[in-house]
Amino acid sequence: MSNKRNPASHVQRLALGGLMAALVCVATSFFKLPVPITQGYIHLGDAFVLVSAAILGPLGVAAAAIGSMLADLLGGYFQYLLPTFVIKGLVALVAFAGLRGNKPFWVEWLVLIAAEAVMVLGYFLVECLMYSAASAAGAVLPNVVQGIGGVVIGAVLIPVFRRIQQRIG
């Protein structure tokens, strides 16, 4: 039965979107490694940003952006609320667009790498505007490490979440 005719499936998708936003927020807020140089941290949230986009499409893009922004709100990084919402939303959008359809494994990896490159570039540009180019350059390596972690963990989790999604309908 089509989603357009089954209101329960809309509610289920919306609930799953909320769950993914919560997973992004928790993975960002509670599984992190502080980076003293930048006053920021490396976290596991990017893996769930990618998973969210891969399994929920446009709803996953919104969930990723909202969950990431909520992590900044809860962590007291108020100056990053809007930049994080936009950047993580773009990361998820790239992942969603690139992962649509059946792709070879290596193409999916390239898509995930491109999505995380958006994160690194996005934060670099934002921090150039907020602070300085030198300060922004200091955050590039930690963001690359975070991005690599997001790609590796995301590449492992996406097929798992897709199988779960297929089983539950």
Side-chain angles (χ1 to χ4, degrees):
M1 182 176 272
S2 169
N3 283 347
K4 292 180 182 180
R5 296 182 192 166
N6 185 356
S9 67
H10 288 299
V11 172
Q12 289 170 336
R13 282 189 55 76
L14 188 57
L16 189 54
L19 179 62
M20 288 308 299
L23 278 172
V24 168
C25 182
V26 168
T28 302
S29 298
F30 297 107
F31 301 103
K32 60 187 178 183
L33 176 67
V35 179
I37 296 170
T38 64
Q39 302 301 313
Y41 55 91
I42 296 170
H43 58 78
L44 298 178
D46 280 25
F48 290 97
V49 165
L50 299 172
V51 169
S52 183
I55 67 167
L56 292 178
L59 178 60
V61 172
I66 292 167
S68 297
M69 184 183 69
L70 286 174
D72 278 350
L73 180 66
L74 294 172
Y77 294 91
F78 304 114
Q79 71 275 25
Y80 283 99
L81 293 177
L82 183 58
T84 291
F85 181 83
V86 172
I87 292 166
K88 298 300 182 163
L90 289 173
V91 168
L93 184 61
V94 168
F96 159 65
L99 294 174
R100 289 172 35 172
N102 291 330
K103 304 268 193 295
F105 182 73
W106 65 272
V107 172
E108 288 192 355
W109 274 85
L110 290 177
V111 167
L112 298 179
I113 290 167
E116 287 301 316
V118 168
M119 181 269 296
V120 174
L121 179 62
Y123 280 114
F124 176 75
L125 294 174
V126 164
E127 290 171 354
C128 279
L129 294 172
M130 290 172 66
Y131 308 115
S132 69
S135 178
V140 168
L141 182 59
N143 284 338
V144 167
V145 170
Q146 176 179 301
I148 291 169
V151 166
V152 171
I153 296 167
V156 169
L157 290 179
I158 287 170
V160 172
F161 274 76
R162 282 179 174 162
R163 281 192 294 269
I164 292 168
Q165 185 181 32
Q166 287 173 348
R167 287 187 181 204
I168 62 175

